[in-house]
Structure formats: structure tokens, C-alpha cells
Amino acid sequence: MQLSQHINRKTTQNIYRAFDFAKASGLPMNTYVVINLVDRTDKSSNTVFRGIMARYRRWLRYKYRQSPNPALLPIWTYSHENPNNANPHVNLVLHVPANLFEEFERKLRNWVFKEQGTGSFDVSVQRITPGTDKNVANYINKGVDPDYAEHFFLDAIASPQGDIFGRRAGVSRAINKEKRDRVNYNCRTRNIPSV
């Protein structure tokens, strides 16, 4: 399994562009979640997170089948942190339709419990104030490779975020580079041409 100590340049850029694309699509990142997890010998925190996200995607598919709506696309981005190699947690930012927020929050705690199993964990869920999404993007990218902190204007908050086994950060397929390229998304004008 891959070990990383920072978020690389390409992934950092991808996260920023995913935030912009989600907003330009009319489905901005509106929910910020921190999930504190426990690394165990039989199940890493990264494995637990993948299980949580699999449950989240199944729930969204079920909701989409009930009422097809673009707001039910799996729009999210995340970064893992492990400050001082003693506190593994994940910062998850996603779009959750307002009418599903309470159900999402309730289900998320259950998904974490089912995936984490024994051991303590903590879940914090907050709504993102409109217009502050870039502050959240900056925060989840604070573990950027120090060589690129100034490039991304993160030198004031960039800091080592510990060792992570597995994927350190990423975005969902609904807003990744492949999807953005498919619809000719222009990151400079932040406009999505009509298809």
C-alpha cells in the first residue's frame, strides 16, 4: 500500500477545479464533514473511509431511483490527515441536497459505526456558508507538497499532515478531470458550455 506525506500538485489542482466545477454546475459543495477514525492492523482508516463512501453512493443511487435529480449525483472531494501520526481523520466536502441533509447526517453516523466497528470515532457535520467554499478547499489542501504551497497561495496554512497509507486525497467521478473535459469545462471562465 502506498505511503504519502503530502498532497501532490496534481491532486491539489484537481480538488480546486472540482470545487469550481461543482459550483458552475449549480451543485456547489455545501457540506463539510470531519470523520475521526482509528487505524487498526486489520483495517486502515483509508479502508474504513472507502467503505463509508460505498454506503453513501448506494444511498444516493437509491434516492436517485426514487426521484431522478442531478442534485443526487455523488459530488464530493476529500483529504486524509494524520497530524503527528496520531490522529487519522478525513476531511470530506460534498453537495447534499437541503431536503436530505438531516437524513444524510443520521445515516453517516451509522455508516461510520458499521465500517469502523470497535473503537472510538467522532463525526462532525456542518453546512458550508455560501461563498466560503474556497476557504474550505484551502483548508483541505493544507497538506499540499511544501514545494507547491506558495504556488497555491497556501504558504500561510500549509503544514505537514502526517503519514497516510493509501490514497491521500481525491474527488468523485461526477466532478473529476475526465468529466470536466467531457463537457469542455473552462476553468478560467468557470463556464460550462451548453451540451
Side-chain angles (χ1 to χ4, degrees):
M1 191 176 273
Q2 169 186 345
L3 172 70
S4 68
Q5 296 176 328
H6 53 258
I7 304 172
N8 66 38
R9 179 202 57 79
K10 190 175 180 181
T11 302
T12 302
Q13 185 69 58
N14 194 19
I15 290 171
Y16 280 124
R17 290 192 173 153
F19 266 80
D20 291 340
F21 181 66
K23 185 185 279 187
S25 300
L27 302 169
M29 304 290 193
N30 62 7
T31 306
Y32 172 61
V33 177
V34 177
I35 307 171
N36 289 301
L37 298 167
V38 177
D39 260 330
R40 302 188 324 232
T41 54
D42 64 326
K43 203 173 195 183
S44 73
S45 59
N46 213 308
T47 302
V48 170
F49 177 67
R50 284 196 316 270
I52 292 165
M53 295 314 290
R55 290 174 183 274
Y56 170 67
R57 287 189 303 271
R58 283 193 298 271
W59 175 68
L60 271 187
R61 273 195 302 272
Y62 171 75
K63 291 293 184 183
Y64 187 82
R65 276 188 235 118
Q66 287 181 324
S67 172
N69 178 345
L72 294 173
L73 292 171
I75 294 173
W76 47 265
T77 185
Y78 70 92
S79 69
H80 285 273
E81 297 178 354
N82 190 11
N84 304 316
N85 294 320
N87 179 24
H89 62 277
V90 65
N91 296 301
L92 172 64
V93 187
L94 51 150
H95 177 84
V96 177
N99 64 321
L100 295 177
F101 181 77
E102 288 181 19
E103 182 180 350
F104 164 77
E105 188 174 16
R106 188 175 58 252
K107 287 190 169 290
L108 176 64
R109 294 178 192 287
N110 190 37
W111 298 330
V112 173
F113 177 76
K114 286 182 177 178
E115 291 297 322
Q116 180 70 46
T118 59
S120 62
F121 62 87
D122 185 34
V123 178
S124 169
V125 182
Q126 303 170 37
R127 296 299 266 177
I128 296 173
T129 305
T132 63
D133 55 326
K134 273 301 179 126
N135 295 336
V136 177
N138 288 340
Y139 184 79
I140 72 168
N141 274 323
K142 71 183 180 293
V144 65
D145 181 335
D147 293 340
Y148 296 98
E150 186 177 348
H151 171 77
F152 290 111
F153 304 101
L154 293 171
D155 32 341
I157 64 169
S159 63
Q161 296 300 312
D163 297 335
I164 294 294
F165 289 93
R167 279 193 81 181
R168 184 173 202 100
V171 302
S172 66
R173 289 183 186 158
I175 55 174
N176 69 7
K177 183 178 184 328
E178 181 183 329
K179 173 67 175 185
R180 296 189 308 263
D181 289 348
R182 199 174 324 130
V183 298
N184 296 315
Y185 173 66
N186 183 331
C187 65
R188 288 193 172 88
T189 62
R190 291 170 175 59
N191 289 331
I192 300 175
S194 57
V195 180

